[in-house]
Amino acid sequence: MVGTQLNWDDYATAWARLHGGFDPRAATPVVRAWLRFSYHLGFVLGRLRVGPTPVTVVGVLLCACVPLFAVRPQDGPFLAALFVLLAAVADSVDGAVAVATNRTTRLGYVYDSLADRLGEVAWLAAFWLVGAPGALVVTAGVLSWLHEYVRARAVSAGMRELGAVTVGERPTRVAVALVGLLLAGLTGLIEPDLAAGTITMATAVWVLLAGFGLGQLLSTVRRALIDAG
């Protein structure tokens, strides 16, 4: 029933059903701890009658702050990294609110996916503003978009499972954005010109992981659809 609060076990079961059968109770300790944190925060927000959509909107606004703060002298990359972290929390919690309160909808899933893509555009814009080459930034964005597009099209074509959990998934992009901006801030304190080189390396890592992850996903999709056909 809509609005009914779920306990952790029921939440984990519902979350797994929405994520291709991946059970959060069987995840690594770090991932499991993160998902439990999201569940508890989502449970509290549900009790306060905060819906998932406002949390999604807040997440997008936090992402929009990333490039705005990235251009500040000295502490800009640090503040940008902080907003990446806050946006990642919001991104995890909006789904937790929906699942914990049994208010998941197909439209909400579309909004959440759109928010994720907009957020990544904002993070990559921050990379460019800090000094990463535009072509490299665009390549990172295109590869990440293709990763999500291929999975979505594969599901609509009949792939029933999540497919491969690749090295280019959304959590990887969050980690690269967060660590890349932090390192750019640290090296910028040593020598301002080093920030651009550091963020360029972070963008290159994003591209490599996104490209390899896309290859993993395409291989899995091919096998799954051939077997299904």
Side-chain angles (χ1 to χ4, degrees):
M1 184 169 120
V2 173
T4 301
Q5 296 280 348
L6 302 180
N7 60 34
W8 166 245
D9 284 330
D10 291 338
Y11 170 87
T13 300
W15 192 95
R17 188 167 56 249
L18 294 170
H19 293 82
F22 179 76
D23 191 339
R25 291 165 293 193
T28 63
V30 173
V31 173
R32 187 166 62 248
W34 175 266
L35 293 175
R36 287 207 69 144
F37 165 75
S38 300
Y39 159 73
H40 287 300
L41 190 52
F43 187 92
V44 171
L45 291 176
R47 287 284 189 181
L48 296 174
R49 299 186 182 280
V50 176
T53 301
V55 181
T56 301
V57 172
V58 168
V60 173
L61 294 176
L62 290 170
C63 287
C65 291
V66 174
L68 296 178
F69 283 100
V71 295
R72 284 170 55 102
Q74 295 185 334
D75 63 351
F78 292 113
L79 290 174
L82 173 62
F83 277 96
V84 168
L85 178 60
L86 294 174
V89 171
D91 177 46
S92 186
V93 170
D94 63 356
V97 172
V99 176
T101 58
N102 200 19
R103 292 158 71 180
T104 56
T105 64
R106 294 180 180 178
L107 185 59
Y109 178 78
V110 172
Y111 286 156
D112 186 59
S113 297
L114 176 61
D116 289 347
R117 304 292 78 75
L118 291 174
E120 289 169 9
V121 168
W123 301 348
L124 289 170
F127 278 28
W128 176 68
L129 290 171
V130 174
L136 194 62
V137 168
V138 170
T139 301
V142 169
L143 288 173
S144 296
W145 176 81
L146 282 173
H147 189 285
E148 301 303 327
Y149 178 78
V150 167
R151 176 167 282 146
R153 294 301 297 171
V155 170
S156 67
M159 188 175 75
R160 297 180 180 179
E161 300 297 331
L162 180 67
V165 178
T166 75
V167 297
E169 302 289 347
R170 165 94 173 160
T172 300
R173 295 170 225 152
V174 173
V176 172
L178 178 60
V179 174
L181 288 167
L182 282 175
L183 290 177
L186 288 172
T187 56
L189 292 177
I190 300 171
E191 171 58 51
D193 291 339
L194 290 177
T198 302
I199 206 66
T200 297
M201 287 190 291
T203 312
V205 170
W206 183 315
V207 168
L208 289 173
L209 293 175
F212 190 76
L214 179 60
Q216 287 180 298
L217 182 60
L218 286 170
S219 177
T220 300
V221 167
R222 182 177 180 277
R223 289 196 303 269
L225 294 182
I226 288 176
D227 292 343

